[in-house]
Amino acid sequence: MTSRTTEITLERIALIRRLVVAWDPAGQGAPVIHPDAPYGSLDRDGDIANVTGDDEGAAEEHRAVGEALVAFLRHADLKPGRYGYHNPLTKLDLSQVSDVFRDEAAGTSPEQIVFEVGPEHIALIRHLAMGWDEARAVPAVAVSAPYGPGSLEEAMTRALGGPREDWAHLHRSMQPALQIFLRSADIAPGDYAP
């Protein structure tokens, strides 16, 4: 009996690096890939074709990237440290999703994000309940149980190997931590267990 694996190709790594992480404000909130612009522009199929060189099969490849993303979160490596990135959410519609850095009074988000990714972020990324949001057709973390069964605090405690006093703040910081992980974590092409 062979176990199921997911193929992570160079093209899928390139597409994962382009994914735009937003915040799903429903319930306790959780990271979600921006539904209107998963790869940074409103032309999802064109964004995929720019990487794969194939104008056909963009919907299938988008779904395959979602499957590869689950394996990427489990197997890619990132060193803790300070990272910066240009915030792609500044130019996107935030009516369905949010940005944890957004100043609601001013209605703006910072263009540049500098963020310290700690070992606790990487540990939580390994436990993200990433799946496919059928309604929005993008990868998303389960807002009802972002790190697995139990309350948010219980699941985070289990993932981190102990309790944290700042668990609510740490949970919201997963949006930039995940964006950095997708852009900077290392993984070789190959077949991986999801």
Side-chain angles (χ1 to χ4, degrees):
M1 180 179 198
T2 59
S3 60
R4 187 177 159 267
T5 60
T6 298
E7 184 181 17
I8 298 182
T9 63
L10 284 173
E11 290 84 5
R12 289 181 185 151
I13 293 169
L15 288 167
I16 286 169
R17 298 221 184 283
R18 288 171 170 76
L19 289 172
V20 176
V21 180
W23 187 256
D24 186 337
Q28 57 207 355
V32 62
I33 302 306
H34 195 290
D36 298 330
Y39 303 100
S41 85
L42 298 177
D43 182 9
R44 182 199 76 183
D45 292 357
D47 290 343
I48 292 170
N50 284 339
V51 171
T52 64
D54 184 5
D55 290 338
E56 303 296 321
E60 293 83 10
E61 185 60 22
H62 179 56
R63 187 64 182 250
V65 168
E67 291 174 15
L69 176 59
V70 174
F72 185 90
L73 297 178
R74 304 292 177 263
H75 300 284
D77 291 314
L78 181 72
K79 289 185 178 3
R82 195 167 189 79
Y83 294 85
Y85 65 93
H86 179 76
N87 186 358
L89 297 173
T90 59
K91 295 185 173 111
L92 296 175
D93 178 16
L94 295 179
S95 60
Q96 294 183 52
V97 294
S98 184
D99 179 0
V100 296
F101 294 109
R102 185 174 173 82
D103 178 343
E104 293 301 332
T108 60
S109 295
E111 289 199 20
Q112 293 296 323
I113 304 294
V114 176
F115 184 77
E116 184 81 28
V117 177
E120 66 277 11
H121 294 107
I122 296 167
L124 289 171
I125 285 169
R126 301 274 188 239
H127 288 87
L128 282 173
M130 183 66 73
W132 189 259
D133 183 329
E134 290 292 344
R136 296 188 271 193
V138 291
V141 174
V143 291
S144 60
Y147 309 101
S151 72
L152 183 63
E153 190 172 359
E154 290 168 347
M156 290 177 74
T157 297
R158 193 172 46 251
L160 295 170
R164 295 278 301 231
E165 289 186 19
D166 64 339
W167 62 270
H169 174 73
L170 179 58
H171 174 57
R172 284 185 59 81
S173 72
M174 292 304 291
Q175 178 195 323
L178 182 58
Q179 185 70 77
I180 290 164
F181 191 86
L182 298 184
R183 290 190 178 185
S184 302
D186 293 321
I187 195 167
D191 293 328
Y192 292 89

